[in-house]
Amino acid sequence: METISLTGKDLAAALNADSKQRAAALAERGAAPRLVLVVANDDPASGWYVKSLQRAAERLGIDCDTVDLGPNTTADAIRAELRALCADIAVDAVMLQTPLPAGVALRDVSLAIAAAKDVDGVSPHSLGLLAAGLPGFPPATSEAVVELAKHHDIPLAGKHVAVVGRSNVVGKPLAQLLLAEDATVTVCHSRTTDLAAVTGAADIVVAAAGRAGLITGEHVREGAVVIDVGTNEGPDGKIVGDVDAESVRGRASALSPVPGGVGPVTTALLMRHVVDAAAASRA
């Protein structure tokens, strides 16, 4: 069986083109969208990601600033900074980067991010809005999975989707987004009995567990669609997904690549959220 590659390049380009045009229109009114990234670590991977977001914002005409609180800051200091930024009418969007200092939980400090500026949907408030089907910003990675499927004309309504991973960043919010698309969703995790039997019964398998090569050909029924959300560092230092692509190709009807699948769409959606937040604040 031929396995189609579910690339995200074209979708990301289309999203970015629209965001750039809308950001320019806002700038012409004297108020370009503004994103502030709050960092409280000295993690190299986080630093790389912050720089990539800064470059993406610059390309689209979005102002992007960074507040570096240092790796030894406290939960109180992080909350105070987030509240101050959310109270600043010149700031449209706020993102808190992880990892956080030891002893600081994301769920506690993220409560300080106002839902209207929580463009990555990390706070319990935003997750609650999503679960209730109310307007808000969903986590961009979860949204990217749905948008990538739609872009490649993969039907979701009535389909059985197995989501492998139950994090608040991907698994849980993705389940809510898929339910809103009328899919039937099974969320799998580390204590799921006979994972291969569960995923093997699904029409679509989404791998979002953060374990390189977890999903193999034996986890996928013939003709199923596989979307890989994983970003793990391989033995050679290259980024690999949660799917053992070689064993899945020829069995799955479609597979998203890593890199080049969900990743670019996630970044494009984050930037779209920033523009959406700016447009809403000026309405």
Side-chain angles (χ1 to χ4, degrees):
M1 172 180 291
E2 180 183 1
T3 300
I4 298 170
S5 181
L6 303 178
T7 61
K9 181 180 178 180
D10 291 344
L11 174 56
L15 289 167
N16 286 331
D18 180 66
S19 294
K20 186 173 183 178
Q21 182 178 32
R22 293 173 61 211
L26 289 168
E28 287 178 4
R29 292 161 52 185
R34 185 182 175 210
L35 165 67
V36 177
L37 307 171
V38 178
V39 181
N41 63 66
D42 54 4
D43 181 73
S46 176
W48 177 89
Y49 184 56
V50 166
K51 289 179 180 177
S52 71
L53 290 177
Q54 291 171 331
R55 289 193 297 268
E58 183 179 0
R59 287 194 298 268
L60 300 181
I62 295 170
D63 293 337
C64 183
D65 300 316
T66 301
V67 175
D68 190 348
L69 299 177
N72 298 315
T73 191
T74 64
D76 286 341
I78 295 172
R79 279 191 289 264
E81 183 63 39
L82 293 174
R83 291 192 184 103
L85 290 170
C86 287
D88 187 345
I89 60 173
V91 175
D92 298 301
V94 177
M95 284 183 61
L96 175 62
Q97 300 306 299
T98 56
L100 297 173
V104 178
L106 177 62
R107 64 179 178 272
D108 295 332
V109 294
S110 64
L111 279 166
I113 307 176
K117 298 188 180 186
D118 184 19
V119 289
D120 203 17
V122 298
S123 82
H125 292 311
S126 295
L127 294 171
L129 291 171
L130 176 61
L134 297 173
F137 293 113
T141 304
S142 298
E143 187 181 15
V145 172
V146 175
E147 294 301 318
L148 187 65
K150 289 181 177 179
H151 175 72
H152 287 280
D153 297 320
I154 295 170
L156 297 174
K159 300 298 182 181
H160 177 198
V161 184
V163 178
V164 184
R166 54 177 169 177
S167 72
N168 288 338
V169 178
V170 184
K172 290 178 183 177
L174 176 56
Q176 297 296 333
L177 290 171
L178 289 167
L179 288 172
E181 297 293 334
D182 297 320
T184 298
V185 185
T186 301
V187 179
C188 308
H189 45 79
S190 60
R191 295 192 179 183
T192 296
T193 301
D194 198 351
L195 177 63
V198 178
T199 58
D203 302 301
I204 302 170
V205 178
V206 181
R211 289 177 56 188
L214 173 65
I215 301 301
T216 65
E218 70 175 11
H219 293 86
V220 180
R221 71 165 177 78
E222 189 169 351
V225 172
V226 180
I227 300 179
D228 193 348
V229 183
T231 52
N232 312 285
E233 185 175 344
D236 58 0
K238 294 181 179 180
I239 297 298
V240 297
D242 286 1
V243 176
D244 179 10
E246 289 306 313
S247 67
V248 168
R249 287 195 189 97
R251 187 169 181 80
S253 61
L255 169 66
S256 67
V258 176
V262 173
V265 181
T266 297
T267 301
L269 287 170
L270 274 172
M271 295 300 123
R272 183 174 75 173
H273 290 177
V274 175
V275 177
D276 287 342
S281 71
R282 293 154 178 67

